[in-house]
Amino acid sequence: MDAKLFDNSHTIRASLLSGVSLFLTGMSAFFALFYMIKLNSFTSGFVEVLFCCYSARIYYLSKKNQHRDRDVRNFVYLIVLLITYGNASLPLANYNLLWTTLCPLLMYALLGRKHGLYASITILILQLGILSYRSFNSNEISLINLLINMISSYATVWLISHIYEGNRRDVEQTLSSLASRDALTSTHNRLALTTAFGHFERHRHEEQLSLLIIDLDFFKSINDRYGHDVGDKVLIETSQLIMQVVGDDNLFRIGGEEFCVTLFNHSIAQAEKVGERIRNLVATNPYVYNDNHIHLTLSVGICEYQTGYHLGDLLRMADKELYRAKESGRNQVRLCPATPQDAELETDVVQQKAQN
C-alpha cells in the first residue's frame, strides 16, 4: 500500500477545488460581460470566457473526483496568469493588489506546503516585476506606496498560510497514523487495507494484485506457556521480519496473530516465492526472550485478483487456502486455484483422500 493513500488532503482539496472553480466560473462569466459591454474590451472579455470554460471543466472533474494533480496545478497557474494579465493591462490601483495577496491562501490550500511555497515565491517576484515596471513608466500611482502595500499585505497572508498549512498537515498525519496503524506492531491495519484495495480497484487496469494471508502456527500455546508479554514481542518481531521482505507499505495486521500482505504487480507465482521467503525467514529466526528459546512457524494462503473480485472475496479465498495449509501440517504456503473449476477439482481430490 502506498503510504499516501490514507490521506485526507486529497478529499479536502477536492472539495475546495470544487467550490473555488464554481465561484470563479461565475465570476469570470460576470467579468467577461462587464469587459465586453461596459468597457468595450473584447480581448479581456475573450480571456475571461476562455477561463470560464476551463474553470467549469475543473468543477466537473472535481465533482466526479476525476481530477489529477496536474489539473489542479494547471488551474492554479492559470489563475496566476489571469491575475498577472490584469495587473499588466488594467489601470493600476491599490485594489488590484487584492487578488494578488489572496494567492498564497489559494496556493497552499490547493497545492500543499511545498508547492505552495514555490508558487507563492514565483507569484511575488512576477507581480513585483510587473508593478515596478508600470510604476516607473507612468504616473498612475506612487511606486513606494504600491510596493509597501504589496509586500506587507502579501507577506502577512503568506506567513499565515505557511504556518497554518504546516500545522494542519502535521495534525492530519498524526491522526492518519493513529487511524491506519496497529497499536502494537505499528503495521497497517484493516482500515488501511480497505483504503489500499479501493485505490487498486480504481487503477486495476494498470496493476496486478496477489494477496497473502499469514497466520502464526500454535501462537495460542506461546501465550499460554510464556505469557502475553512474550506473545506481544513475538508479534512485533515477526512483523519486522515480514517487513524485511515486503516493506512497510504492504503489510497489514488484520487479526490477533494474522497478517495480510498485498503484492502489487506480482503474479501468483511471484507471490509464492515471496511467501516461501517469509516462511523460511520466520522458521529460521531465533526468538529468544529471557532465556526462553521459541521456535515459530507460520502458514500462508495466497490468492490472485481476478476481475470482479472484492476485497472480501480475496480474503475469504486466501483464508481458505490458509486453513488447508493448517490442516496439511502447517509451516507451508498454499495457492488458490486459478479457476473455480480447479477449486472444485481440488476439493473433490481432498474429499476422496479423506474417504480413503
Side-chain angles (χ1 to χ4, degrees):
M1 185 193 83
D2 187 340
K4 296 180 180 179
L5 291 178
F6 204 88
D7 186 351
N8 290 323
S9 288
H10 179 79
T11 302
I12 295 172
R13 288 174 183 148
S15 178
L16 180 62
L17 180 64
S18 175
V20 170
S21 59
L22 179 61
F23 172 75
L24 292 181
T25 298
M27 288 290 292
S28 56
F30 169 78
F31 279 117
L33 294 174
F34 177 78
Y35 288 141
M36 291 181 180
I37 298 175
K38 186 70 176 178
L39 302 180
N40 291 322
S41 176
F42 291 96
T43 301
S44 297
F46 181 69
V47 170
E48 291 287 353
V49 169
L50 291 179
F51 180 76
C52 178
C53 295
Y54 186 78
S55 184
R57 176 178 179 274
I58 293 297
Y59 172 73
Y60 173 81
L61 292 176
S62 62
K63 291 297 290 184
K64 296 291 185 180
N65 200 26
Q66 296 176 351
H67 65 282
R68 299 186 178 184
D69 289 342
R70 68 168 178 264
D71 295 319
V72 181
R73 289 193 295 269
N74 291 341
F75 181 62
V76 167
Y77 283 110
L78 190 57
I79 294 174
V80 173
L81 289 176
L82 197 62
I83 294 174
T84 303
Y85 173 78
N87 287 338
S89 60
L90 297 177
L92 283 177
N94 282 324
Y95 62 80
N96 291 119
L97 305 179
L98 174 63
W99 295 106
T100 301
T101 54
L102 290 177
C103 281
L105 288 174
L106 191 64
M107 301 299 103
Y108 279 91
L110 291 179
L111 299 178
R113 195 177 191 188
K114 180 180 178 181
H115 293 289
L117 175 62
Y118 296 154
S120 297
I121 294 174
T122 302
I123 294 165
L124 179 60
I125 295 174
L126 185 62
Q127 302 306 319
L128 285 177
I130 291 174
L131 296 178
S132 298
Y133 175 79
R134 291 196 63 184
S135 298
F136 276 123
N137 289 276
S138 71
N139 295 319
E140 295 176 272
I141 194 169
S142 170
L143 172 62
I144 299 300
N145 291 337
L146 183 67
L147 293 181
I148 290 175
N149 288 337
M150 173 71 178
I151 295 175
S152 60
S153 58
Y154 193 92
T156 300
V157 176
W158 185 1
L159 182 62
I160 293 173
S161 302
H162 190 77
I163 294 175
Y164 174 79
E165 178 62 21
N167 291 337
R168 186 201 65 80
R169 183 63 180 175
D170 291 342
V171 171
E172 180 185 284
Q173 288 179 340
T174 300
L175 293 176
S176 295
S177 179
L178 291 173
S180 64
R181 294 280 182 173
D182 174 61
L184 176 63
T185 63
S186 296
T187 59
H188 295 287
N189 58 20
R190 185 179 285 267
L191 178 60
L193 175 62
T194 303
T195 303
F197 187 80
H199 176 81
F200 166 76
E201 283 190 306
R202 293 190 294 271
H203 302 83
R204 60 179 179 268
H205 59 282
E206 301 174 359
E207 297 180 334
Q208 292 177 293
L209 170 63
S210 291
L211 186 142
L212 288 68
I213 297 292
I214 300 171
D215 190 85
L216 278 58
D217 297 329
F218 299 113
F219 181 74
K220 185 177 182 300
S221 63
I222 294 176
N223 279 331
D224 294 340
R225 182 175 179 181
Y226 302 105
H228 288 279
D229 288 343
V230 172
D232 289 346
K233 292 178 181 178
V234 168
L235 288 172
I236 294 171
E237 187 169 349
T238 301
S239 65
Q240 293 172 346
L241 291 173
I242 298 174
M243 281 191 282
Q244 291 180 18
V245 179
V246 302
D248 170 71
D249 289 342
N250 297 308
L251 180 60
F252 307 81
R253 186 185 179 199
I254 59 175
E257 66 271 19
E258 193 170 62
F259 295 88
C260 176
V261 172
T262 54
L263 296 177
F264 297 101
N265 294 319
H266 280 66
S267 65
I268 195 167
Q270 294 171 317
E272 181 181 18
K273 295 179 181 179
V274 173
E276 287 291 350
R277 286 180 59 194
I278 295 172
R279 186 191 64 79
N280 288 325
L281 184 60
V282 170
T284 57
N285 181 67
Y287 290 86
V288 181
Y289 310 106
N290 300 325
D291 297 328
N292 294 314
H293 295 259
I294 301 173
H295 176 65
L296 182 69
T297 62
L298 50 77
S299 301
V300 184
I302 304 177
C303 185
E304 185 177 23
Y305 175 84
Q306 302 292 334
T307 302
Y309 283 5
H310 299 292
L311 177 59
D313 299 326
L314 285 171
L315 291 172
R316 183 173 57 256
M317 295 172 66
D319 197 59
K320 185 175 181 180
E321 295 306 317
L322 174 65
Y323 176 79
R324 289 179 174 177
K326 296 281 189 180
E327 290 292 303
S328 301
R330 294 178 171 80
N331 191 26
Q332 57 185 271
V333 176
R334 291 290 300 261
L335 306 180
C336 289
T339 64
Q341 291 77 12
D342 294 336
E344 294 176 1
L345 179 61
E346 184 172 347
T347 300
D348 293 340
V349 171
V350 171
Q351 290 177 348
Q352 289 177 3
K353 289 182 178 180
Q355 291 175 357
N356 295 333

